Structures are given as structure tokens and as C-alpha cells.
């Protein structure tokens, strides 16, 4: 065995405690939790794009009376079923040309429309401006979505937390109520609602309010059961934290991913439910537009006038995809562990 | 320590049952009594399911005791109501350190807010600066860099997390701390670090500990007196040396015989003492003092032998 060379004492240097401390110091400024969430959300490009898209849609819906080029319910039968046309620009698909008996015809000329009359997305079978109808329809669908989400958060979330947190008899009682509520299909609720109320936004929203929170309440209850045995909840209790504070400080932040994912299911569900009701004719009454009624109308003439269905379908799809992707982004943003 | 005998916690005939009256009734803690004296470290050992954690949680009132008394500095705290002013005061005097450093810190909160939780609840800091300063002090006390207070728990190792948990417990200036297996989830190399920290803080602040554990060698190292629990009962209670050198209860003897020794020669010949539940328990037994300061769970007849 080779002799290990002796290292002279002078070669050793005491590593200063200070150096060690400096290594551990942080360069980044300290942010609050919500600032952190915002930073993480905006560092996610897909989520940011979706947020902007949805933001634009919400803005347009809010300012619909200002933005919409025409009154969505004004009928001009002489201008019925006109194809899309933007000004006098000759963009294929948006130049007012229509295929008739194998020939391309300027549909606007055929009905003797003045030169400055044009409809960006065309008109429907009663000559109503499709773009304006889509704007108003989106507005209605978004109202339904927002109300459904609010009901989820205002009824479903506290209901689930109370049920899970209290446990025992309270939980059993609350769960029996949930079972009763969820055993009634919401279509039945809507139809019953028709008896008392006129068909329309109010009856749809009430039907959603009565039935839609159940899933949220169930998921939150199951999660709360899991969380309440966690030691940090016990620690908060030994420190004397009140139950309400435990719910807001400890439970809800840790439930946030469940809440967000469930909300992202609720929004498309509510929009589809409204569209479905309007499609089968017991939703929004004529002449008001919703994405559902527009799809229903467009579907009738889809083979000849496909643009009447493409546009509302596209908007609906964008809302769905954007909410889903934004939901994913939000879930990640709320989780500190997923950072950067 | 043991000679200045002012009890800080007195447990009298504490019973903690779960699912009372149902088929699956559990007598987790069944009629136990002991005193914990000011400034001492009281060790509580026993196998899994023997009721040691339940005892700790009953004393700190995470559970409502089924019956019995818990006196804290002479006051019965076993019946005080949640949310009463007395409870709020009591919550400041007694604190707990938890077993699992990964589950005992809220993953969505920053270290600063975790430690300051007790300060916020009891309005112990007047403004934000004072709060930050207090958290800094606490972090220094547990040998963590105060700059780390803006981090999240997942960025720390198990030992560091446990020290954050200790800082949180210390924030409200308690006199009595229940440590519920604070080191059993840690790496062996980290265990000593945390135990030494606990002892240093105990000296500095004149704290009293109840140390729950199943690692006998560690309990011997830290405790002044040790109680051995088995199936919801205390079977033996004596000073740490007494328990180790003169175990009287067969269960204690069995436990001690299970400690491995880092010496192959000894290990070859080490004999485990088996413990048979049926043989050693009967209805006429109770905890009684058989030698000065040495309590044993036995019948009157057996007690006379000593």
C-alpha cells in the first residue's frame, strides 16, 4: 500500500461561516402567495393566451350592445341567408359569393342589396345578422357558465367542506340530501320548472343551481376527509385556530386544484346543457339567441349554408378549449411545487 | 430536575374511548394516571397502537377525553370548551411537535406564515415588522437561515422541516411541549441533531417536554422519567435509569430485550424475552408504587413482594 502523502497544515483553510451563509442566501425577492400564483400563471404561455382569448370574449359580451353591428333580432326577410361579406374586400369565403346551381353568384347583387350593405358572418333564414346573434349568444352562454360556477362555489364548496369537516351525523344527513338531489335528472327539473316559470334564462339557471353543485360538494367532501387528518391541520388546531380560519387558510388552498378542475368541468357542462335545452326547444325562447339555438338553426341548413353552423360551433369550441387549458394553467399556478 | 417536584401536568384516570357504544368501540387510553414535573422530560414509550399518541392528543385537547381529569398547573383543562377564552390561553401554554415533517407543514404556505400562525391567532405581534422580526428570532433559535422564511416547505429536508415545526410550536412561548415521535420519521444522522436542539431549547427556555417515542435508546438519552404503555395502560413508570437497570414489568423486560446492540458478539447471544398478554394481565391489577418513585401495574398481592 502506498503511503498517503501528508498534507501540511497550512494548506487547510477554515471555511468561514459567513461564506456558507452567503451561499444559502436568496437572490429572488420574496413575494406573497398570490403574487407567486400570478407570476407562475403568466409564465405559462398557453394559459396566458387562453386567458386573453377568454378575456376578449368576456369584454365583447359585456359590451355587446356597443360592439354588435346590428340588432340581433331585427328581421329583414329580403336579405335572408346571405353569405359572409366583409366590405368590398375580395376575400374568398367573405366576398358574398354563393354557389347556386353549380355557378358562383354574388348573392348580395341577387337580392339588390345596396353596395354598402354587408354582413360579416352572413345572415340567417330570417335575414338577421349572424355576427350580432353570435355575440349575444355568447353573452348568454357565458352568463349561464358564470352563474353555474358561482353556484358551485357558493353552495357546493361550503357544503362539501362542512360535510367532510364535521363528519359523523351531520355528514350522514348532508349526504342523504345529496343523494336525493342527484337522483332527480336535471332535465326533469327543467321541465318541471317550465310549469311555474316561462322557459328562458331564469328557469335554466335555477335548474342548474338546484342540481349542479352536487358533484363539487362530493369531491370537496372526500378531499376534506383526507386533509383534516393531516398533521398541519392538527397543528393549527393546537394553536387555537378557529374552524372557519382553518377552512380558509388551510383547506381551501389545498383544495384549490380540485376546485379548479371541477370548475373547468362545470363551465362547459353548463354551456352544453343550455345549448342542449335550446337545441331541443325548451331553452332560450325565440327570438333570443344563444349558442345552442344558433347551432340548432344552423344545423338545419348545414348542407347548403354551412357558414351558419361553422361560426357558432367555432366559438363554442374555443370557449371549451380555452377554459380547459386555462384551468390546467391555474391548477399548476396554485401549486408552489410545480414552480417554473 | 426531579427533585423540585412541582407538577405541571397531572393526569388522573384519563380514559379516551372511540366509537362508544358501537360494536367497534376502542379503548385507546384506559384509565391512566401520571404526573409530569416542571422542567423534566417525560418519556412515553410503547408499541404501535398502545395509545401513546392518543394520550398526547387527549392532553392537548385535540380529542375530548371520555372521562378523567387533566390538570395543567392545577387547573382542570379536560372539560374546557373550544373557543372559550380559557382554551385560547391554554393553547398558548401547551404546544405539540408532530411526527411526520412532511405532513405537518401546509404545502401551500410559506415558512414565515407557518411559523407566524400562532402569532396571528393570538395577536402576539403588533405590526408586520414585529412579526417578521419574531419569525427571524425563531428561525435563528432552531438554527435555520432567516432568509429562508419566504420559501415553501417542499424546499426543505426532513430535518429542516422538523425544525420549522419546532419553531412554530415555540412561537407562542409555551411552557409545555408534547413531542409526538418527533424523530421517528427522520434519518438517523438527523435524529441526534433534532434531539440536541430540543434539549438546548429546553435549557434556554426552561421547558417541560413529554416525549412520545418507540425508540428506547433515544428515549433513555433524552428522558428523566419514562412511562411504558401497553394496550392503553401504563404498565410501568420510573426514572430512566431505573427502567433500564431494574425493569419490573414483564412487558418492559421484553421491550428492553429487543434493543439491538452494535456488537456482534453480544448479538449472537442476546435472548429476546417473549411477552404473553394473557399471562400477565388480570382484572385486579392497578398502577401502584412498589418502590419509591417506581410505579408498576400489578395486583396488590404482587406489590407486596417488593
Amino acid at each position: 500500500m502506498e503511503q498517503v502523502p501528508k498534507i501540511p497544515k497550512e494548506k487547510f483553510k477554515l471555511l468561514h461561516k459567513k461564506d456558507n451563509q452567503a451561499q444559502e442566501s436568496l437572490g429572488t425577492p420574496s413575494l406573497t402567495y398570490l403574487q407567486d400564483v400570478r407570476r407562475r400563471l403568466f409564465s405559462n404561455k398557453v394559459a396566458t393566451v387562453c386567458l386573453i382569448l377568454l378575456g376578449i370574449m368576456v369584454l365583447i359580451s359585456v359590451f355587446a350592445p356597443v360592439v354588435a353591428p346590428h340588432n340581433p333580432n331585427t328581421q329583414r326577410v329580403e336579405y335572408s341567408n346571405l353569405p359572409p361579406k366583409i366590405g368590398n374586400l375580395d376575400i374568398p369565403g367573405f366576398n358574398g359569393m354563393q354557389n347556386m346551381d353549380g355557378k358562383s353568384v354574388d348573392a348580395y347583387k341577387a337580392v339588390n342589396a345596396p353596395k354598402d350593405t354587408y354582413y360579416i358572418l352572413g345572415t340567417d333564414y330570417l335575414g338577421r345578422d349572424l355576427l350580432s346573434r353570435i355575440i349575444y349568444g355568447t353573452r348568454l352562454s357565458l352568463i349561464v357558465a358564470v352563474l353555474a360556477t358561482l353556484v358551485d362555489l357558493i353552495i357546493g364548496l361550503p357544503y362539501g367542506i362542512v360535510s367532510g369537516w364535521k363528519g359523523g351525523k351531520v355528514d350522514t344527513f348532508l349526504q342523504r340530501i345529496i343523494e336525493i338531489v342527484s337522483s332527480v335528472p336535471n332535465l326533469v327539473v327543467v321541465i318541471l320548472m317550465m310549469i311555474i316559470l316561462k322557459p328562458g334564462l331564469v328557469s335554466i339557471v335555477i335548474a342548474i343551481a338546484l342540481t349542479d353543485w352536487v358533484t363539487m360538494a362530493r369531491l370537496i367532501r372526500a378531499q376534506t376527509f383526507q386533509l383534516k387528518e393531516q398533521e398541519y391541520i392538527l397543528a393549527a388546531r393546537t394553536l387555537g385556530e378557529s374552524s372557519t380560519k382553518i377552512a380558509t387558510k388551510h383547506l381551501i388552498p389545498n383544495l384549490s386544484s380540485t376546485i379548479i378542475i371541477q370548475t373547468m368541468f362545470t363551465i362547459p357542462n353548463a354551456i352544453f346543457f343550455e345549448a342542449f335545452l335550446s337545441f331541443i326547444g325548451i331553452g332560450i325562447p325565440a327570438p333570443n339567441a344563444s349558442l345552442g339555438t344558433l347551432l340548432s338553426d344552423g344545423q338545419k341548413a348545414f348542407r347548403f349554408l354551412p357558414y351558419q353552423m361553422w361560426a357558432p360551433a367555432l366559438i363554442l369550441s374555443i370557449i371549451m378549449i380555452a377554459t380547459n387549458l386555462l384551468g390546467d394553467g391555474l391548477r399548476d399556478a396554485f401549486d408552489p411545487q410545480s414552480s417554473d | 430536575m426531579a427533585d423540585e417536584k412541582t407538577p405541571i401536568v397531572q393526569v388522573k384516570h384519563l380514559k379516551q374511548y372511540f366509537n362508544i357504544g358501537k360494536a367497534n368501540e376502542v379503548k385507546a387510553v384506559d384509565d391512566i394516571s401520571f404526573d409530569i414535573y416542571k422542567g423534566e422530560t417525560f418519556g412515553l414509550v410503547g408499541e404501535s397502537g398502545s395509545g401513546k399518541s392518543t394520550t398526547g392528543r387527549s392532553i392537548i385537547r385535540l380529542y375530548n377525553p371520555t372521562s378523567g381529569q387533566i390538570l395543567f398547573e392545577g387547573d382542570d383543562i379536560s372539560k374546557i370548551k373550544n373557543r372559550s377564552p380559557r382554551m385560547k390561553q391554554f393553547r398558548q401554554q401547551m404546544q405539540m411537535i408532530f411526527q411526520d415533517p412532511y405532513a405537518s407543514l401546509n404545502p401551500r404556505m410559506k415558512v414565515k406564515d407557518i411559523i407566524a400562525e400562532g402569532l396571528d391567532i393570538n395577536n402576539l405581534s403588533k405590526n408586520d415588522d414585529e412579526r417578521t422580526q419574531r419569525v427571524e428570532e425563531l428561525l435563528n433559535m432552531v438554527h435555520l437561515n432567516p432568509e429562508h422564511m419566504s420559501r415553501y416547505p417542499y424546499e426543505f429536508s426532513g430535518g429542516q422541516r422538523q425544525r420549522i415545526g419546532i419553531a412554530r410550536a415555540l412561537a407562542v412561548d409555551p411552557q409545555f411541549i408534547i413531542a409526538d415521535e418527533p424523530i421517528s420519521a427522520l434519518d438517523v444522522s438527523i435524529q441526534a441533531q433534532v434531539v440536541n436542539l430540543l434539549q438546548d431549547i429546553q435549557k434556554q427556555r426552561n421547558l417541560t417536554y413529554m416525549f412520545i417515542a418507540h425508540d428506547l435508546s433515544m428515549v433513555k438519552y433524552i428522558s428523566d422519567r419514562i412511562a411504558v404503555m401497553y394496550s392503553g395502560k401504563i404498565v410501568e413508570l420510573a426514572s430512566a435509569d431505573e427502567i433500564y437497570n431494574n425493569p419490573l414489568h414483564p412487558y418492559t423486560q421484553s421491550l428492553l430485550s429487543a434493543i439491538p446492540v452494535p456488537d456482534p458478539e453480544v448479538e449472537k447471544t442476546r435472548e429476546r424475552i417473549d411477552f404473553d398478554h394473557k399471562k400477565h394481565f388480570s382484572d385486579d391489577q392497578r398502577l401502584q408504587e412498589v418502590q419509591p418513585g417506581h410505579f408498576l401495574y400489578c395486583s396488590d398481592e404482587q406489590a407486596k413482594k417488593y
Side-chain angles (χ1 to χ4, degrees):
Chain A
M1 272 281 270
E2 219 178 309
Q3 190 82 34
V4 180
K6 248 197 160 180
I7 305 169
K9 219 179 173 184
E10 309 85 72
K11 292 217 170 171
F12 285 101
K13 206 172 78 185
L14 185 70
L15 192 65
H16 283 289
K17 223 182 159 188
K18 254 188 198 161
D19 299 340
N20 215 342
Q21 290 258 316
Q23 266 180 19
E24 288 199 356
S25 73
L26 295 171
T28 48
S30 74
L31 302 165
T32 64
Y33 182 58
L34 283 178
Q35 282 173 319
D36 260 352
V37 168
R38 199 182 320 150
R39 184 180 55 81
R40 278 194 293 265
L41 181 65
F42 286 129
S43 67
N44 181 342
K45 287 199 187 71
V46 176
T48 314
V49 170
C50 291
L51 185 67
I52 292 169
L53 266 177
L54 284 175
I56 292 170
M57 284 194 188
V58 169
L59 275 181
I60 291 178
S61 305
V62 169
F63 294 107
V66 186
V67 182
H70 299 267
N71 184 323
N73 297 334
T74 310
Q75 302 179 9
R76 298 193 68 176
V77 187
E78 66 272 28
Y79 293 157
S80 67
N81 290 333
L82 287 178
K85 182 181 180 187
I86 303 175
N88 289 320
L89 305 167
D90 195 20
I91 307 166
F94 291 94
N95 51 9
M97 302 304 273
Q98 204 169 22
N99 212 349
M100 259 181 207
D101 303 326
K103 278 184 288 177
S104 197
V105 185
D106 188 338
Y108 283 77
K109 231 176 226 163
V111 296
N112 295 322
K115 259 208 152 169
D116 56 343
T117 303
Y118 62 89
Y119 297 95
I120 294 177
L121 290 179
T123 59
D124 67 358
Y125 68 103
L126 290 172
R128 293 175 292 197
D129 176 36
L130 207 56
L131 175 63
S132 308
R133 287 183 72 73
I134 287 175
I135 290 175
Y136 275 86
T138 309
R139 169 158 134 148
L140 211 131
S141 294
L142 287 179
I143 289 173
V144 171
V146 167
L147 289 175
T149 310
L150 281 182
V151 169
D152 256 17
L153 294 179
I154 291 171
I155 303 178
L157 179 64
Y159 195 101
I161 289 181
V162 169
S163 187
W165 181 255
K166 293 276 180 195
K169 283 187 187 126
V170 177
D171 178 48
T172 315
F173 179 70
L174 291 179
Q175 289 312 303
R176 292 300 87 75
I177 293 180
I178 281 198
E179 276 158 23
I180 293 167
V181 170
S182 63
S183 67
V184 184
N186 48 10
L187 191 58
V188 174
V189 176
V190 182
I191 292 169
L192 290 176
M193 215 46 92
M194 300 279 167
I195 300 169
I196 315 166
L197 299 165
K198 275 184 258 167
L201 187 61
V202 179
S203 59
I204 291 176
V205 166
I206 291 178
I208 289 177
L210 284 176
T211 54
D212 214 46
W213 54 273
V214 171
T215 327
M216 177 71 103
R218 277 191 169 147
L219 285 173
I220 293 297
R221 166 184 172 263
Q223 279 268 307
T224 306
F225 260 120
Q226 238 175 45
L227 287 177
K228 79 171 177 183
E229 289 305 317
Q230 292 282 312
E231 284 181 338
Y232 59 84
I233 304 276
L234 296 180
R237 284 173 62 198
T238 63
L239 284 165
E241 194 85 281
S242 68
S243 298
T244 348
K245 267 285 188 65
I246 288 180
T248 53
K249 263 177 85 174
H250 296 284
L251 288 177
I252 291 180
N254 284 290
L255 290 169
S256 62
S257 50
T258 314
I259 296 172
I260 290 167
I261 290 171
Q262 183 50 31
T263 307
M264 291 308 133
F265 279 119
T266 300
I267 290 176
N269 267 346
I271 293 177
F272 268 136
F273 185 54
E274 180 275 319
F276 165 70
L277 290 179
S278 303
F279 191 84
I280 64 170
I282 57 173
I284 305 297
N288 290 322
S290 78
L291 288 179
T293 54
L294 291 173
L295 282 175
S296 160
D297 289 347
Q299 166 262 350
K300 288 170 194 157
F302 184 62
R303 285 178 62 194
F304 311 106
L305 307 159
Y307 65 91
Q308 287 187 3
M309 192 164 129
W310 278 126
L314 190 72
I315 298 295
L316 190 59
S317 310
I318 290 176
I319 294 177
M320 303 289 146
I321 293 172
T323 45
N324 268 315
L325 293 177
L326 178 64
D328 277 354
L330 276 176
R331 186 200 53 206
D332 291 345
F334 274 103
D335 183 4
Q337 218 154 333
S338 77
S339 67
D340 318 312
Chain B
M1 286 191 201
D3 40 58
E4 43 168 298
K5 290 223 173 188
T6 35
I8 183 164
V9 173
Q10 292 170 284
V11 175
K12 292 181 177 170
H13 304 289
L14 177 69
K15 289 182 185 172
Q16 182 74 58
Y17 296 173
F18 296 106
N19 303 327
I20 299 165
K22 288 187 192 153
N24 55 345
E25 184 179 275
V26 179
K27 296 182 176 180
V29 174
D30 197 7
D31 196 1
I32 60 167
S33 304
F34 57 86
D35 293 348
I36 299 175
Y37 301 112
K38 230 172 205 151
E40 78 167 344
T41 302
F42 182 85
L44 192 59
V45 293
E47 61 189 31
S48 308
S50 61
K52 47 193 197 314
S53 284
T54 310
T55 306
R57 289 180 181 186
S58 298
I59 292 175
I60 204 165
R61 286 296 311 277
L62 279 172
Y63 300 140
N64 292 325
T66 311
S67 75
Q69 278 187 312
I70 302 161
L71 303 184
F72 183 75
E73 299 198 308
D75 275 351
D76 187 4
I77 51 105
S78 65
K79 305 265 174 339
I80 50 175
K81 290 222 163 63
N82 274 324
R83 275 188 266 171
S84 62
R86 178 75 193 88
M87 184 60 123
K88 207 166 180 189
Q89 199 189 339
F90 166 66
R91 292 284 188 218
Q92 282 188 47
Q93 291 164 332
M94 195 185 284
Q95 270 305 309
M96 192 156 186
I97 298 167
F98 291 89
Q99 176 175 10
D100 183 354
Y102 292 88
S104 64
L105 307 177
N106 183 345
R108 305 276 161 122
M109 273 165 84
K110 297 201 166 181
V111 170
K112 181 182 179 182
D113 298 317
I114 290 172
I115 294 176
E117 191 172 12
L119 302 176
D120 298 341
I121 294 164
N122 299 300
N123 302 320
L124 294 181
S125 55
K126 286 180 211 84
N127 50 43
D128 216 35
D129 289 342
E130 199 183 312
R131 183 171 177 261
T132 312
Q133 198 195 336
R134 186 85 182 96
V135 174
E136 269 176 27
E137 278 170 32
L138 287 161
L139 280 171
N140 275 325
M141 196 180 291
V142 296
H143 309 308
L144 284 174
N145 190 335
E147 287 200 38
H148 291 177
M149 68 176 148
S150 60
R151 289 192 182 179
Y152 289 99
Y154 76 92
E155 294 171 88
F156 294 89
S157 69
Q160 287 174 316
R161 281 160 170 252
Q162 199 56 292
R163 284 186 273 158
I164 295 169
I166 294 170
R168 169 176 61 193
L170 291 172
V172 291
D173 259 326
Q175 301 159 30
F176 181 65
I177 290 182
I178 297 175
D180 186 2
E181 307 201 25
I183 50 168
S184 59
L186 299 177
D187 216 66
V188 180
S189 58
I190 306 294
Q191 288 187 354
Q193 195 190 54
V194 171
V195 165
N196 288 337
L197 175 70
L198 282 171
Q199 285 190 321
D200 289 346
I201 293 170
Q202 181 176 35
K203 271 181 218 139
Q204 276 171 33
R205 313 192 120 204
N206 195 24
L207 293 171
T208 310
Y209 287 145
M210 180 164 126
F211 198 89
I212 302 169
H214 52 235
D215 179 347
L216 283 158
S217 46
M218 197 52 100
V219 171
K220 183 183 185 229
Y221 173 70
I222 193 169
S223 306
D224 301 307
R225 292 191 307 139
I226 295 174
V228 181
M229 267 190 100
Y230 178 76
S231 139
K233 297 181 172 68
I234 289 181
V235 294
E236 192 164 5
L237 193 167
S239 69
D241 292 336
E242 185 73 11
I243 286 271
Y244 275 81
N245 301 329
N246 184 21
L248 296 177
H249 198 278
Y251 179 69
T252 317
Q253 290 165 359
S254 168
L255 267 187
L256 290 173
S257 77
I259 303 176
V261 184
D263 178 350
E265 290 304 315
V266 181
E267 278 297 295
K268 267 185 207 161
T269 55
R270 180 165 67 96
E271 263 183 54
R272 296 253 352 231
I273 303 171
D274 270 343
F275 176 70
D276 183 2
H277 180 90
K278 287 183 206 111
K279 219 153 113 193
H280 297 288
F281 284 99
S282 58
D283 287 337
D284 58 343
Q285 292 176 326
R286 63 198 168 84
L287 193 67
Q288 38 193 319
E289 192 164 8
V290 290
Q291 283 163 14
H294 195 139
F295 296 82
L296 180 67
Y297 189 79
C298 61
S299 62
D300 295 346
E301 205 179 307
Q302 286 166 312
K304 276 180 200 141
K305 281 194 262 173
Y306 300 104

